Amino acid sequence: MEAVSLSHTGFSLPLHRYGYHELGLYSASSSLLPMNAFRGLQYSSSLHEQANLRKAAQHYCYSSVIRKCVGVSSCYLTPNENPYNLFSGKRNPRSIIVRSELAKMGTHEVGYPLSEVPLSSKIRGTCFYATTAITAIFLFMLMLVVHPIVLLTDRYRRRIHNTIAKMWASLTVAPFFRIKYEGLENLPAPNSPAVYVSNHQSFLDIYTLLTLGRSFKFISKTAIFLFPIIGWAMFMMGVVPLKRMDSRSQLDCLKRCMELIRKGASVFFFPEGTRTKDGKLGAFKKGAFSVAAKTKVPVVPITLVGTGSIMPAGSESILNMGSVKVLIHKPVIGSDPEALCNEARNVIADALNFSYLMWNICIFDKS
């Protein structure tokens, strides 16, 4: 059968279950996603394998993303412009270039220039914030009433507060986008402390993660605690404050996280430190993995796909159509922070690459 080589970010993913022999991946730039194949582009050598490919693409892509990515353009290049054939080591006779906005998932460039943002996205953004504000007011009152009981009976995990936060997040996002979960069986038991880590694409990441219903403590900038209602609720939930440029505050934050874990609570880190601006997975800081190694608890990697295209970083006033996928990976255990960091990042990066790959295959199938 024919093998397809897709260029993306430097990982190799075998897909035998979907009729592939092997996929070789190498670096590409911006929104140009080169796709190389023997004798042009061939997905498989039989109708049966093509059907398997379409089934896989439909499983991993979202209809809203397909609608946004109409107008795919392609062209043929000479061998000199693309000298690599990852399977034979020789130059390909030709290659196909596909311009796809999926290569910029999660960035401010993913949808439209700010001046061309559709009116519907702006209206959806306004409705989203109105919904979250109204919901927060009522649920904050409930949180305020039960707070003394929580401090007396569950000072560290604060499960009642986290249940209220899950209600708030679920009620807010339900009218606007759907969340699909995979790997829920990999979540540790609710009473088992762990360090959770995830990629960070969008303001919507917090809403998405709260819908999991786990009693973990986020790390947040101290300035956010001053926000009415939301900031006060975060304080009551036991969110850990952090001053980003203050080394003493960073040390206190890590100590606080270790204390919470030893008391039975879990903590959540975005190891990139901030939301991605270019759609690429950033370098991971090792703080979260040092906490896990010293407290001997598992690291649970989570991959978020789609939040960056719905509400791109830097464009928090708009809300596009779309769906979100949450992939919970198997916990990683170890005593070496650097090894834990590398393993968790590789798992998340592979999952992101695989999702983007499936989306682009889906585009070809539709075109």
Side-chain angles (χ1 to χ4, degrees):
M1 68 170 288
E2 298 294 334
V4 179
S5 147
L6 290 148
S7 92
H8 201 41
T9 56
F11 296 90
S12 295
L13 299 172
L15 298 178
H16 306 288
R17 58 182 290 199
Y18 296 121
Y20 286 88
H21 174 62
E22 187 179 28
L23 291 175
L25 307 178
Y26 61 95
S27 62
S29 62
S30 185
S31 62
L32 291 180
L33 184 63
M35 300 184 66
N36 307 316
F38 301 131
R39 295 187 293 278
L41 181 67
Q42 295 185 20
Y43 288 145
S44 58
S45 59
S46 69
L47 293 176
H48 175 69
E49 289 167 351
Q50 291 178 17
N52 286 341
L53 178 61
R54 280 192 291 270
K55 182 178 179 181
Q58 290 169 1
H59 177 71
Y60 280 95
C61 69
Y62 305 121
S63 59
S64 60
V65 177
I66 297 170
R67 287 196 299 270
K68 285 182 64 180
C69 294
V70 295
V72 176
S73 60
S74 62
C75 63
Y76 288 102
L77 300 181
T78 64
N80 288 335
E81 291 175 280
N82 191 3
Y84 300 105
N85 182 324
L86 298 180
F87 297 98
S88 65
K90 300 177 182 179
R91 297 190 177 197
N92 279 332
R94 63 184 180 179
S95 59
I96 294 178
I97 299 294
V98 179
R99 177 172 292 277
S100 168
E101 297 195 5
L102 286 173
K104 298 183 287 186
M105 276 290 298
T107 75
H108 62 284
E109 302 174 54
V110 70
Y112 313 88
L114 192 59
S115 60
E116 299 178 12
V117 173
L119 180 61
S120 60
S121 294
K122 296 178 181 179
I123 294 174
R124 283 170 59 83
T126 301
C127 293
F128 174 83
Y129 286 111
T131 302
T132 198
I134 294 170
T135 307
I137 291 172
F138 287 100
L139 292 180
F140 173 75
M141 299 304 295
L142 176 59
M143 189 178 288
L144 195 60
V145 170
V146 302
H147 188 60
I149 301 173
V150 169
L151 290 180
L152 291 173
T153 61
D154 191 16
R155 186 177 187 88
Y156 296 99
R157 281 182 287 185
R158 307 192 183 188
R159 287 167 291 185
I160 296 177
H161 284 346
N162 281 276
T163 300
I164 296 173
K166 178 184 177 181
M167 293 170 55
W168 168 68
S170 299
L171 291 171
T172 297
V173 304
F176 300 100
F177 60 89
R178 181 176 61 88
I179 303 176
K180 181 180 179 181
Y181 306 93
E182 289 189 13
L184 288 172
E185 67 278 4
N186 295 324
L187 287 172
N191 295 331
S192 299
V195 172
Y196 295 80
V197 297
S198 170
N199 60 311
H200 200 8
Q201 293 185 338
S202 170
F203 177 65
L204 297 178
D205 293 345
I206 301 294
Y207 289 87
T208 302
L209 293 164
L210 284 174
T211 63
L212 288 173
R214 281 297 190 266
S215 299
F216 41 61
K217 311 300 179 188
F218 288 100
I219 315 298
S220 177
K221 294 184 296 184
T222 53
I224 298 180
F225 288 86
L226 301 177
F227 289 9
I229 308 296
I230 301 297
W232 304 338
M234 288 169 53
F235 176 78
M236 289 192 290
M237 288 175 62
V239 173
V240 181
L242 172 68
K243 295 179 181 178
R244 282 185 179 173
M245 306 307 294
D246 188 333
S247 57
R248 183 179 181 84
S249 175
Q250 294 172 4
L251 184 61
D252 290 342
C253 173
L254 296 180
K255 289 180 178 179
R256 175 61 177 164
C257 289
M258 287 188 282
E259 179 187 359
L260 287 167
I261 289 174
R262 293 187 178 111
K263 296 294 185 180
S266 297
V267 293
F268 197 105
F269 288 83
F270 291 110
E272 294 169 277
T274 187
R275 286 168 289 174
T276 177
K277 294 294 189 292
D278 58 5
K280 299 177 182 178
L281 186 65
F284 277 15
K285 297 177 173 61
K286 294 185 177 62
F289 309 98
S290 297
V291 170
K294 290 179 180 179
T295 55
K296 297 179 172 57
V297 298
V299 175
V300 183
I302 297 177
T303 303
L304 301 176
V305 183
T307 54
S309 62
I310 297 175
M311 183 180 284
S315 300
E316 283 74 21
S317 62
I318 69 171
L319 193 75
N320 298 315
M321 296 286 289
S323 298
V324 172
K325 181 179 284 189
V326 181
L327 302 168
I328 301 103
H329 306 285
K330 292 182 178 180
V332 180
I333 301 174
S335 57
D336 183 354
E338 186 169 358
L340 285 173
C341 178
N342 292 336
E343 186 169 356
R345 190 185 185 281
N346 288 340
V347 166
I348 293 173
D350 285 350
L352 285 172
N353 289 333
F354 185 75
S355 296
Y356 297 162
L357 179 149
M358 286 296 106
W359 277 332
N360 280 280
I361 290 174
C362 192
I363 292 171
F364 271 102
D365 193 50
K366 290 291 183 179
S367 62

